């Protein structure tokens, strides 16, 4: 439910609808398709064809090409949103995705930082910028903690890896928002 792909698809839809109504939902759909939908499809096809061992891409050697494809798609979304005149908050939402990839992507090549907690924490920060912040921080913090707990419990990550992911996602999102909004 809170896998990175699901959050990357849902976040721009939510941000678009909250900030700009129906037109924002359209911008969010464009961002969601390019940043989340197509990558999810690439992952599903990769698992089906045997290129990836599983949908979480737990084998680090499988990640570089996938990260490159996702970066290219996020850049394409960013360019399209900017050129076509999307609201600044939508451009910022996609720029956050690129910033998070820029931080977490290189780390994941040498250490298994948690994409799950990075994307979840960044999503909380972004939502707190467009919704009443206190309830978002409270509920979002609990959700990020639960995601981190689950990743440790199923032995996919250590406490350090989920904590580093949460810090990376939070920092990348705050940095982009402080510059763009």
């Amino acid at each position: 439910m809170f896998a990175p792909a699901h959050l990357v698809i849902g976040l721009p839809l939510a941000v678009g609808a909250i900030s700009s109504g129906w037109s924002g939902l359209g911008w969010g759909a464009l961002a969601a398709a390019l940043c989340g939908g197509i990558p999810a499809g690439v992952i599903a096809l990769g698992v089906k064809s045997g290129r990836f061992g599983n949908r979480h891409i737990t084998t680090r050697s499988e990640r570089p090409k996938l990260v490159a494809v996702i970066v290219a798609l996020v850049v394409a979304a960013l360019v399209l949103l900017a050129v076509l005149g999307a609201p600044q908050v939508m451009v910022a939402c996609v720029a956050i995705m690129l910033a998070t990839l820029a931080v977490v992507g290189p780390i994941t090549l040498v250490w298994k930082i948690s994409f799950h907690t990075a994307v979840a924490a960044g999503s909380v920060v972004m939502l707190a910028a467009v919704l009443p912040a206190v309830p978002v921080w409270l509920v979002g913090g609990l959700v990020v903690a639960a995601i981190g707990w689950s990743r440790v419990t199923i032995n996919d990550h250590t406490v350090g890896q989920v904590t580093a992911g949460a810090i990376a996602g939070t920092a990348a999102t705050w940095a982009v928002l402080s510059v763009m909004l």
Side-chain angles (χ1 to χ4, degrees):
M1 180 172 169
F2 293 110
H6 300 153
L7 294 175
V8 170
I9 291 168
L11 182 65
L13 294 170
V15 169
I18 292 163
S19 65
S20 303
W22 287 108
S23 66
L25 191 59
W27 292 114
L30 173 63
L34 286 171
C35 299
I38 293 173
V42 168
I43 292 169
L45 290 173
V47 170
K48 187 173 183 169
S49 70
R51 288 190 182 108
F52 301 135
N54 59 54
R55 66 185 175 94
H56 294 294
I57 319 299
T58 53
T59 304
R60 281 196 312 267
S61 63
E62 297 171 350
R63 294 178 179 183
K65 288 181 183 174
L66 177 63
V67 170
V69 168
I70 294 171
V71 166
L73 288 164
V74 173
V75 168
L78 190 57
V79 168
L80 280 172
L81 290 172
V83 168
L84 296 175
Q88 186 72 3
V89 68
M90 286 306 310
V91 177
C93 186
V94 173
I96 286 164
M97 294 177 197
L98 187 59
T100 302
L101 281 167
V103 172
V104 179
I107 294 170
T108 196
L109 300 178
V110 295
W111 189 58
K112 198 176 172 192
I113 190 169
S114 174
F115 267 103
H116 282 76
T117 57
V119 173
S123 297
V124 170
V125 174
M126 179 72 231
L127 287 172
V130 296
L131 288 170
V134 171
V136 172
W137 285 118
L138 292 174
V139 173
L142 291 174
V143 169
V144 172
I147 292 168
W149 171 83
S150 73
R151 304 302 291 158
V152 171
T153 300
I154 63 173
N155 292 320
D156 272 353
H157 290 287
T158 65
V159 171
Q161 292 165 338
V162 298
T163 302
I167 291 168
T170 298
T173 304
W174 258 336
V176 170
L177 290 176
S178 68
V179 170
M180 294 190 72
L181 296 184

mmCIF file of all heavy atoms in Angstrom, residues 1-42:
data_model
loop_
_atom_site.group_PDB
_atom_site.id
_atom_site.type_symbol
_atom_site.label_atom_id
_atom_site.label_comp_id
_atom_site.label_asym_id
_atom_site.label_seq_id
_atom_site.Cartn_x
_atom_site.Cartn_y
_atom_site.Cartn_z
ATOM 1 N N MET A 1 0.819 -1.201 0.000
ATOM 2 C CA MET A 1 0.000 0.000 0.000
ATOM 3 C C MET A 1 0.869 1.274 0.000
ATOM 4 O O MET A 1 0.531 2.231 -0.658
ATOM 5 C CB MET A 1 -0.903 -0.032 1.233
ATOM 6 C CG MET A 1 -1.799 1.134 1.349
ATOM 7 S SD MET A 1 -2.933 0.827 2.702
ATOM 8 C CE MET A 1 -3.637 2.412 2.869
ATOM 9 N N PHE A 2 1.960 1.260 0.753
ATOM 10 C CA PHE A 2 2.818 2.437 0.829
ATOM 11 C C PHE A 2 4.145 2.223 0.126
ATOM 12 O O PHE A 2 5.150 2.840 0.481
ATOM 13 C CB PHE A 2 3.053 2.836 2.294
ATOM 14 C CG PHE A 2 1.814 3.330 2.981
ATOM 15 C CD1 PHE A 2 1.197 2.570 3.967
ATOM 16 C CD2 PHE A 2 1.241 4.534 2.624
ATOM 17 C CE1 PHE A 2 0.053 3.014 4.595
ATOM 18 C CE2 PHE A 2 0.085 4.986 3.244
ATOM 19 C CZ PHE A 2 -0.513 4.221 4.233
ATOM 20 N N ALA A 3 4.157 1.375 -0.882
ATOM 21 C CA ALA A 3 5.357 1.179 -1.689
ATOM 22 C C ALA A 3 5.684 2.486 -2.406
ATOM 23 O O ALA A 3 4.778 3.289 -2.695
ATOM 24 C CB ALA A 3 5.144 0.061 -2.701
ATOM 25 N N PRO A 4 6.958 2.729 -2.689
ATOM 26 C CA PRO A 4 7.324 3.982 -3.354
ATOM 27 C C PRO A 4 6.513 4.276 -4.617
ATOM 28 O O PRO A 4 6.072 5.415 -4.815
ATOM 29 C CB PRO A 4 8.811 3.788 -3.673
ATOM 30 C CG PRO A 4 9.291 2.862 -2.601
ATOM 31 C CD PRO A 4 8.139 1.918 -2.359
ATOM 32 N N ALA A 5 6.286 3.293 -5.456
ATOM 33 C CA ALA A 5 5.532 3.531 -6.688
ATOM 34 C C ALA A 5 4.127 4.037 -6.393
ATOM 35 O O ALA A 5 3.636 4.955 -7.068
ATOM 36 C CB ALA A 5 5.474 2.262 -7.532
ATOM 37 N N HIS A 6 3.481 3.469 -5.385
ATOM 38 C CA HIS A 6 2.127 3.903 -5.046
ATOM 39 C C HIS A 6 2.116 5.348 -4.552
ATOM 40 O O HIS A 6 1.235 6.133 -4.913
ATOM 41 C CB HIS A 6 1.519 2.981 -3.996
ATOM 42 C CG HIS A 6 1.423 1.560 -4.430
ATOM 43 N ND1 HIS A 6 1.432 0.517 -3.549
ATOM 44 C CD2 HIS A 6 1.354 0.993 -5.667
ATOM 45 C CE1 HIS A 6 1.350 -0.614 -4.206
ATOM 46 N NE2 HIS A 6 1.315 -0.355 -5.496
ATOM 47 N N LEU A 7 3.098 5.692 -3.742
ATOM 48 C CA LEU A 7 3.179 7.068 -3.243
ATOM 49 C C LEU A 7 3.514 8.046 -4.361
ATOM 50 O O LEU A 7 2.966 9.147 -4.417
ATOM 51 C CB LEU A 7 4.215 7.163 -2.117
ATOM 52 C CG LEU A 7 3.860 6.409 -0.840
ATOM 53 C CD1 LEU A 7 5.004 6.467 0.156
ATOM 54 C CD2 LEU A 7 2.574 6.944 -0.226
ATOM 55 N N VAL A 8 4.410 7.637 -5.264
ATOM 56 C CA VAL A 8 4.804 8.520 -6.367
ATOM 57 C C VAL A 8 3.643 8.721 -7.348
ATOM 58 O O VAL A 8 3.546 9.767 -7.978
ATOM 59 C CB VAL A 8 6.068 7.977 -7.081
ATOM 60 C CG1 VAL A 8 6.356 8.716 -8.361
ATOM 61 C CG2 VAL A 8 7.267 8.056 -6.141
ATOM 62 N N ILE A 9 2.758 7.760 -7.432
ATOM 63 C CA ILE A 9 1.560 7.922 -8.259
ATOM 64 C C ILE A 9 0.525 8.769 -7.521
ATOM 65 O O ILE A 9 -0.069 9.685 -8.090
ATOM 66 C CB ILE A 9 0.972 6.550 -8.659
ATOM 67 C CG1 ILE A 9 1.917 5.846 -9.633
ATOM 68 C CG2 ILE A 9 -0.422 6.700 -9.264
ATOM 69 C CD1 ILE A 9 1.594 4.382 -9.876
ATOM 70 N N GLY A 10 0.317 8.497 -6.260
ATOM 71 C CA GLY A 10 -0.721 9.195 -5.507
ATOM 72 C C GLY A 10 -0.393 10.619 -5.119
ATOM 73 O O GLY A 10 -1.274 11.489 -5.115
ATOM 74 N N LEU A 11 0.872 10.896 -4.805
ATOM 75 C CA LEU A 11 1.245 12.229 -4.320
ATOM 76 C C LEU A 11 0.925 13.341 -5.323
ATOM 77 O O LEU A 11 0.265 14.317 -4.955
ATOM 78 C CB LEU A 11 2.718 12.273 -3.914
ATOM 79 C CG LEU A 11 3.189 13.615 -3.353
ATOM 80 C CD1 LEU A 11 2.493 13.938 -2.031
ATOM 81 C CD2 LEU A 11 4.701 13.610 -3.176
ATOM 82 N N PRO A 12 1.358 13.261 -6.591
ATOM 83 C CA PRO A 12 1.037 14.367 -7.502
ATOM 84 C C PRO A 12 -0.459 14.507 -7.764
ATOM 85 O O PRO A 12 -0.949 15.629 -7.962
ATOM 86 C CB PRO A 12 1.805 14.039 -8.779
ATOM 87 C CG PRO A 12 2.267 12.654 -8.660
ATOM 88 C CD PRO A 12 2.223 12.265 -7.218
ATOM 89 N N LEU A 13 -1.188 13.404 -7.730
ATOM 90 C CA LEU A 13 -2.646 13.496 -7.882
ATOM 91 C C LEU A 13 -3.243 14.280 -6.717
ATOM 92 O O LEU A 13 -4.073 15.173 -6.913
ATOM 93 C CB LEU A 13 -3.267 12.099 -7.967
ATOM 94 C CG LEU A 13 -2.910 11.274 -9.199
ATOM 95 C CD1 LEU A 13 -3.382 9.837 -9.037
ATOM 96 C CD2 LEU A 13 -3.488 11.898 -10.457
ATOM 97 N N ALA A 14 -2.812 13.952 -5.511
ATOM 98 C CA ALA A 14 -3.317 14.642 -4.321
ATOM 99 C C ALA A 14 -2.901 16.104 -4.309
ATOM 100 O O ALA A 14 -3.731 16.990 -4.090
ATOM 101 C CB ALA A 14 -2.820 13.936 -3.059
ATOM 102 N N VAL A 15 -1.621 16.366 -4.567
ATOM 103 C CA VAL A 15 -1.133 17.753 -4.551
ATOM 104 C C VAL A 15 -1.852 18.576 -5.618
ATOM 105 O O VAL A 15 -2.271 19.705 -5.369
ATOM 106 C CB VAL A 15 0.404 17.796 -4.740
ATOM 107 C CG1 VAL A 15 0.894 19.214 -4.999
ATOM 108 C CG2 VAL A 15 1.099 17.209 -3.513
ATOM 109 N N GLY A 16 -2.010 18.008 -6.804
ATOM 110 C CA GLY A 16 -2.696 18.724 -7.875
ATOM 111 C C GLY A 16 -4.133 19.034 -7.521
ATOM 112 O O GLY A 16 -4.594 20.173 -7.677
ATOM 113 N N ALA A 17 -4.865 18.030 -7.035
ATOM 114 C CA ALA A 17 -6.271 18.232 -6.692
ATOM 115 C C ALA A 17 -6.432 19.220 -5.540
ATOM 116 O O ALA A 17 -7.305 20.091 -5.582
ATOM 117 C CB ALA A 17 -6.910 16.889 -6.332
ATOM 118 N N ILE A 18 -5.583 19.106 -4.525
ATOM 119 C CA ILE A 18 -5.673 19.996 -3.361
ATOM 120 C C ILE A 18 -5.349 21.432 -3.752
ATOM 121 O O ILE A 18 -6.030 22.372 -3.339
ATOM 122 C CB ILE A 18 -4.726 19.526 -2.239
ATOM 123 C CG1 ILE A 18 -5.218 18.193 -1.657
ATOM 124 C CG2 ILE A 18 -4.576 20.579 -1.146
ATOM 125 C CD1 ILE A 18 -4.178 17.447 -0.851
ATOM 126 N N SER A 19 -4.319 21.607 -4.553
ATOM 127 C CA SER A 19 -3.852 22.963 -4.845
ATOM 128 C C SER A 19 -4.594 23.637 -5.996
ATOM 129 O O SER A 19 -4.709 24.856 -6.010
ATOM 130 C CB SER A 19 -2.352 22.946 -5.152
ATOM 131 O OG SER A 19 -2.099 22.210 -6.336
ATOM 132 N N SER A 20 -5.104 22.859 -6.958
ATOM 133 C CA SER A 20 -5.675 23.488 -8.150
ATOM 134 C C SER A 20 -6.940 22.818 -8.665
ATOM 135 O O SER A 20 -7.312 23.024 -9.821
ATOM 136 C CB SER A 20 -4.629 23.495 -9.276
ATOM 137 O OG SER A 20 -3.445 24.144 -8.871
ATOM 138 N N GLY A 21 -7.572 22.011 -7.875
ATOM 139 C CA GLY A 21 -8.832 21.393 -8.293
ATOM 140 C C GLY A 21 -8.669 20.452 -9.481
ATOM 141 O O GLY A 21 -7.677 19.733 -9.594
ATOM 142 N N TRP A 22 -9.667 20.490 -10.377
ATOM 143 C CA TRP A 22 -9.683 19.565 -11.513
ATOM 144 C C TRP A 22 -8.500 19.770 -12.450
ATOM 145 O O TRP A 22 -7.921 18.801 -12.944
ATOM 146 C CB TRP A 22 -10.994 19.679 -12.296
ATOM 147 C CG TRP A 22 -12.139 19.082 -11.556
ATOM 148 C CD1 TRP A 22 -13.161 19.759 -10.950
ATOM 149 C CD2 TRP A 22 -12.374 17.701 -11.301
ATOM 150 N NE1 TRP A 22 -14.017 18.878 -10.331
ATOM 151 C CE2 TRP A 22 -13.551 17.601 -10.541
ATOM 152 C CE3 TRP A 22 -11.703 16.527 -11.636
ATOM 153 C CZ2 TRP A 22 -14.079 16.390 -10.117
ATOM 154 C CZ3 TRP A 22 -12.230 15.308 -11.221
ATOM 155 C CH2 TRP A 22 -13.397 15.246 -10.470
ATOM 156 N N SER A 23 -8.122 21.002 -12.697
ATOM 157 C CA SER A 23 -6.971 21.211 -13.586
ATOM 158 C C SER A 23 -5.695 20.685 -12.928
ATOM 159 O O SER A 23 -4.833 20.106 -13.592
ATOM 160 C CB SER A 23 -6.813 22.690 -13.956
ATOM 161 O OG SER A 23 -6.475 23.478 -12.833
ATOM 162 N N GLY A 24 -5.600 20.862 -11.635
ATOM 163 C CA GLY A 24 -4.452 20.319 -10.906
ATOM 164 C C GLY A 24 -4.420 18.806 -10.943
ATOM 165 O O GLY A 24 -3.344 18.199 -11.018
ATOM 166 N N LEU A 25 -5.594 18.196 -10.919
ATOM 167 C CA LEU A 25 -5.667 16.749 -11.024
ATOM 168 C C LEU A 25 -5.118 16.287 -12.378
ATOM 169 O O LEU A 25 -4.436 15.266 -12.460
ATOM 170 C CB LEU A 25 -7.106 16.274 -10.825
ATOM 171 C CG LEU A 25 -7.319 14.786 -10.652
ATOM 172 C CD1 LEU A 25 -6.554 14.244 -9.457
ATOM 173 C CD2 LEU A 25 -8.813 14.496 -10.499
ATOM 174 N N GLY A 26 -5.380 17.057 -13.422
ATOM 175 C CA GLY A 26 -4.828 16.740 -14.742
ATOM 176 C C GLY A 26 -3.305 16.820 -14.751
ATOM 177 O O GLY A 26 -2.628 15.931 -15.281
ATOM 178 N N TRP A 27 -2.776 17.905 -14.163
ATOM 179 C CA TRP A 27 -1.313 18.023 -14.051
ATOM 180 C C TRP A 27 -0.753 16.874 -13.219
ATOM 181 O O TRP A 27 0.295 16.304 -13.533
ATOM 182 C CB TRP A 27 -0.915 19.353 -13.424
ATOM 183 C CG TRP A 27 -1.201 20.546 -14.277
ATOM 184 C CD1 TRP A 27 -2.113 21.536 -14.005
ATOM 185 C CD2 TRP A 27 -0.594 20.888 -15.523
ATOM 186 N NE1 TRP A 27 -2.098 22.458 -15.022
ATOM 187 C CE2 TRP A 27 -1.165 22.090 -15.967
ATOM 188 C CE3 TRP A 27 0.383 20.280 -16.313
ATOM 189 C CZ2 TRP A 27 -0.809 22.714 -17.151
ATOM 190 C CZ3 TRP A 27 0.749 20.900 -17.508
ATOM 191 C CH2 TRP A 27 0.161 22.091 -17.917
ATOM 192 N N GLY A 28 -1.449 16.542 -12.143
ATOM 193 C CA GLY A 28 -1.021 15.445 -11.298
ATOM 194 C C GLY A 28 -1.027 14.114 -12.032
ATOM 195 O O GLY A 28 -0.148 13.276 -11.825
ATOM 196 N N ALA A 29 -2.017 13.919 -12.915
ATOM 197 C CA ALA A 29 -2.084 12.673 -13.689
ATOM 198 C C ALA A 29 -0.886 12.549 -14.626
ATOM 199 O O ALA A 29 -0.313 11.457 -14.773
ATOM 200 C CB ALA A 29 -3.389 12.606 -14.474
ATOM 201 N N LEU A 30 -0.495 13.658 -15.239
ATOM 202 C CA LEU A 30 0.688 13.644 -16.113
ATOM 203 C C LEU A 30 1.932 13.255 -15.300
ATOM 204 O O LEU A 30 2.695 12.371 -15.698
ATOM 205 C CB LEU A 30 0.887 15.015 -16.772
ATOM 206 C CG LEU A 30 2.170 15.205 -17.580
ATOM 207 C CD1 LEU A 30 2.215 14.257 -18.771
ATOM 208 C CD2 LEU A 30 2.293 16.648 -18.038
ATOM 209 N N ALA A 31 2.104 13.903 -14.160
ATOM 210 C CA ALA A 31 3.262 13.610 -13.308
ATOM 211 C C ALA A 31 3.207 12.177 -12.787
ATOM 212 O O ALA A 31 4.221 11.471 -12.775
ATOM 213 C CB ALA A 31 3.324 14.599 -12.146
ATOM 214 N N ALA A 32 2.038 11.735 -12.368
ATOM 215 C CA ALA A 32 1.892 10.384 -11.825
ATOM 216 C C ALA A 32 2.227 9.322 -12.871
ATOM 217 O O ALA A 32 2.892 8.330 -12.561
ATOM 218 C CB ALA A 32 0.470 10.182 -11.301
ATOM 219 N N ALA A 33 1.771 9.541 -14.090
ATOM 220 C CA ALA A 33 2.040 8.558 -15.154
ATOM 221 C C ALA A 33 3.531 8.455 -15.452
ATOM 222 O O ALA A 33 4.091 7.359 -15.507
ATOM 223 C CB ALA A 33 1.265 8.934 -16.417
ATOM 224 N N LEU A 34 4.175 9.605 -15.626
ATOM 225 C CA LEU A 34 5.590 9.594 -16.001
ATOM 226 C C LEU A 34 6.501 9.195 -14.839
ATOM 227 O O LEU A 34 7.477 8.473 -15.032
ATOM 228 C CB LEU A 34 6.011 10.950 -16.546
ATOM 229 C CG LEU A 34 5.500 11.273 -17.952
ATOM 230 C CD1 LEU A 34 5.777 12.725 -18.305
ATOM 231 C CD2 LEU A 34 6.118 10.341 -18.979
ATOM 232 N N CYS A 35 6.198 9.657 -13.653
ATOM 233 C CA CYS A 35 7.088 9.422 -12.514
ATOM 234 C C CYS A 35 6.800 8.120 -11.773
ATOM 235 O O CYS A 35 7.690 7.574 -11.122
ATOM 236 C CB CYS A 35 6.996 10.585 -11.531
ATOM 237 S SG CYS A 35 7.471 12.171 -12.227
ATOM 238 N N GLY A 36 5.586 7.629 -11.852
ATOM 239 C CA GLY A 36 5.226 6.434 -11.096
ATOM 240 C C GLY A 36 4.645 5.311 -11.926
ATOM 241 O O GLY A 36 5.048 4.160 -11.786
ATOM 242 N N GLY A 37 3.698 5.629 -12.795
ATOM 243 C CA GLY A 37 3.012 4.596 -13.565
ATOM 244 C C GLY A 37 3.922 3.854 -14.528
ATOM 245 O O GLY A 37 3.964 2.612 -14.528
ATOM 246 N N ILE A 38 4.645 4.600 -15.338
ATOM 247 C CA ILE A 38 5.552 3.956 -16.294
ATOM 248 C C ILE A 38 6.669 3.202 -15.565
ATOM 249 O O ILE A 38 6.940 2.040 -15.898
ATOM 250 C CB ILE A 38 6.087 4.967 -17.325
ATOM 251 C CG1 ILE A 38 4.934 5.454 -18.212
ATOM 252 C CG2 ILE A 38 7.202 4.345 -18.172
ATOM 253 C CD1 ILE A 38 5.294 6.585 -19.160
ATOM 254 N N PRO A 39 7.323 3.805 -14.561
ATOM 255 C CA PRO A 39 8.326 3.021 -13.824
ATOM 256 C C PRO A 39 7.750 1.741 -13.198
ATOM 257 O O PRO A 39 8.403 0.693 -13.215
ATOM 258 C CB PRO A 39 8.831 3.982 -12.754
ATOM 259 C CG PRO A 39 8.652 5.321 -13.374
ATOM 260 C CD PRO A 39 7.354 5.217 -14.144
ATOM 261 N N ALA A 40 6.534 1.803 -12.666
ATOM 262 C CA ALA A 40 5.910 0.602 -12.091
ATOM 263 C C ALA A 40 5.720 -0.459 -13.173
ATOM 264 O O ALA A 40 5.936 -1.654 -12.934
ATOM 265 C CB ALA A 40 4.579 0.948 -11.434
ATOM 266 N N GLY A 41 5.342 -0.015 -14.370
ATOM 267 C CA GLY A 41 5.202 -0.945 -15.480
ATOM 268 C C GLY A 41 6.532 -1.561 -15.890
ATOM 269 O O GLY A 41 6.609 -2.760 -16.174
ATOM 270 N N VAL A 42 7.579 -0.735 -15.907
ATOM 271 C CA VAL A 42 8.918 -1.236 -16.233
ATOM 272 C C VAL A 42 9.349 -2.286 -15.207
ATOM 273 O O VAL A 42 9.896 -3.336 -15.566
ATOM 274 C CB VAL A 42 9.940 -0.068 -16.299
ATOM 275 C CG1 VAL A 42 11.367 -0.583 -16.334
ATOM 276 C CG2 VAL A 42 9.648 0.819 -17.502
#
